[in-house]
Amino acid sequence: MTRTLREPGREKTAERLLKSSANKFYDPEVDIDWAAPLVEGKRFIPEHRSTLYGTELWDRLSPQQRIELGKHELASVATNGLWFEILLMQMLLKEVYDADPTSSHAQYALTEVADECRHSTMFARMAERIGCPPYGPVLWRRRLGKILPVIGYGPALYGSILVAEEVLDRLQREQMNDPDIQPLVRMVNRIHVLEEARHVTFAREEVTRGMARLSKKELAYQRLLIAVVSHEITRSLVNPAVYKAVGIRPRDGYQAAMSNPHWQETVRYSGERIMAFLDDAGLVGRPGMTFWRRSFLVSGR
Ligand SMILES: [Fe+2]
Ligand SMILES: [Fe+2]
């Protein structure tokens, strides 16, 4: 039996998003010139977005090593984005499984899965093209992630999707027009930013609708779930193995990064928009606050 009632507002949004998806989408296979050479001396991320920027370890790196580290950090963020997209696709398919497939809502969810399929292929291809390993999350996190599609539901599920999407979006938006960044990377960022705007609209409305239906008991679970998942998202962005590329021991690099106020500020900046929304929606609160603070998305409160 189908669970989804045809709510008029929900269907209207889905119809609009379906139309927009049909009018504007990219196929990275043809829209990106994968054979174009990388530009010598151009960065892959801005220096001030590097996890070690401003630390003692950073001071010891040559200009060339700083570019190299940024390249590996970009590959790590992209392949972690890919990891999260794969989890998200599973969660969306779980929703569709129970929904009326003739509803625009279910059809848009399927369209979003199709978008994410292209994005994940694009991120994987970019990592390969710039000559980096497929970092993704560390092994224990990769294993732990498997339970998310099983235990995740409701506004926390859509809220966690939003944290991953909007954190990435804010950084990519800042970098897509930066002339100092490699053209290939800028194009990947541009494609992702454009298509994610629809996903954000879809998920934000689901959060608002879901919150209106929650019982008090469920609210605590939802707040804890989203805080834990968001903590894992921000902590996984940079795989410690990236530091090996510039001769830094992974444990030393990761520790320096996590205690680096510049990096903490980058995470806070990247989550600024979505945190205001989630706070407004009532999803940021006890019993999740310790995880939020440790995620750097919320500064001590
Ligand atoms: Fe995506
Ligand atoms: Fe997305």
Side-chain angles (χ1 to χ4, degrees):
M1 200 48 229
T2 56
R3 190 173 50 79
T4 314
L5 292 174
R6 293 206 179 203
E7 295 171 34
R10 199 188 206 195
E11 282 295 277
K12 244 202 170 98
T13 303
E15 275 162 34
R16 186 164 56 79
L17 294 173
L18 275 167
K19 241 183 233 146
S20 155
S21 310
N23 287 338
K24 211 157 198 183
F25 73 97
Y26 286 96
D27 180 353
E29 279 306 302
V30 290
D31 292 320
I32 292 181
D33 182 1
W34 294 103
L38 296 173
V39 183
E40 190 68 35
K42 274 209 193 290
R43 293 185 228 292
F44 296 80
I45 58 170
E47 284 202 329
H48 70 289
R49 295 299 177 209
S50 184
T51 54
L52 295 184
Y53 180 78
T55 63
E56 257 174 53
L57 287 172
W58 180 260
D59 293 340
R60 281 190 238 144
L61 297 176
S62 68
Q64 203 45 46
Q65 283 179 311
R66 289 174 181 175
I67 294 180
E68 184 67 11
L69 175 62
K71 183 172 89 173
H72 287 261
E73 287 173 325
L74 171 78
S76 173
V77 171
T79 51
N80 272 291
L82 180 161
W83 168 59
F84 206 78
E85 283 179 337
I86 288 171
L87 288 173
L88 155 63
M89 286 188 250
Q90 293 177 37
M91 297 189 274
L92 284 171
L93 287 173
K94 204 174 90 175
E95 290 269 303
V96 178
Y97 192 89
D98 288 327
D100 170 358
T102 64
S103 67
S104 298
H105 179 77
Q107 287 170 20
Y108 180 72
L110 286 172
T111 305
E112 185 165 321
V113 172
D115 287 349
E116 299 298 14
C117 271
R118 294 193 307 276
H119 296 169
S120 289
T121 312
M122 172 173 79
F123 289 146
R125 196 140 183 208
M126 179 175 74
E128 188 193 358
R129 176 68 189 84
I130 63 178
C132 288
Y135 288 110
V138 290
L139 191 59
W140 68 265
R141 226 176 229 128
R142 190 188 297 272
R143 287 187 177 147
L144 190 68
K146 280 189 187 171
I147 64 168
L148 185 60
V150 182
I151 60 166
Y153 76 97
L157 181 138
Y158 279 102
S160 327
I161 290 171
L162 279 167
V163 170
E165 288 181 335
E166 294 211 27
V167 160
L168 212 60
D169 182 84
R170 197 135 201 236
L171 295 174
Q172 290 178 329
R173 214 172 265 275
E174 176 192 59
Q175 296 164 25
M176 67 184 189
N177 296 320
D178 184 340
D180 291 334
I181 302 292
Q182 292 281 347
L184 168 73
V185 179
R186 286 167 56 191
M187 188 58 186
V188 166
N189 287 346
R190 200 169 301 131
I191 289 178
H192 203 240
V193 163
L194 193 127
E195 297 199 338
E196 286 299 322
R198 293 190 289 259
H199 303 178
V200 166
T201 306
F202 184 73
R204 280 191 177 215
E205 285 199 12
E206 285 303 306
V207 168
T208 310
R209 263 183 223 111
M211 287 303 286
R213 293 195 202 109
L214 277 189
S215 69
K216 221 173 171 188
K217 225 180 176 173
E218 274 182 306
L219 179 63
Y221 173 73
Q222 293 282 319
R223 281 179 170 174
L224 183 63
L225 180 66
I226 189 170
V228 171
V229 177
S230 303
H231 172 264
E232 294 311 314
I233 291 170
T234 63
R235 292 286 176 139
S236 68
L237 284 175
V238 173
N239 185 315
V242 299
Y243 302 107
K244 274 198 277 189
V246 288
I248 295 173
R249 220 163 53 139
R251 204 198 305 155
D252 296 344
Y254 192 73
Q255 257 169 22
M258 291 306 119
S259 50
N260 178 7
H262 288 283
W263 174 245
Q264 294 176 5
E265 172 53 23
T266 287
V267 175
R268 195 208 55 78
Y269 163 84
S270 67
E272 199 173 33
R273 267 189 45 194
I274 183 57
M275 289 311 295
F277 171 79
L278 294 175
D279 201 9
D280 242 29
L283 268 175
V284 185
R286 287 202 303 180
M289 292 318 292
T290 313
F291 289 97
W292 281 121
R293 274 189 292 271
R294 286 172 51 188
S295 75
F296 309 131
L297 288 164
V298 164
S299 36
R301 72 172 196 192

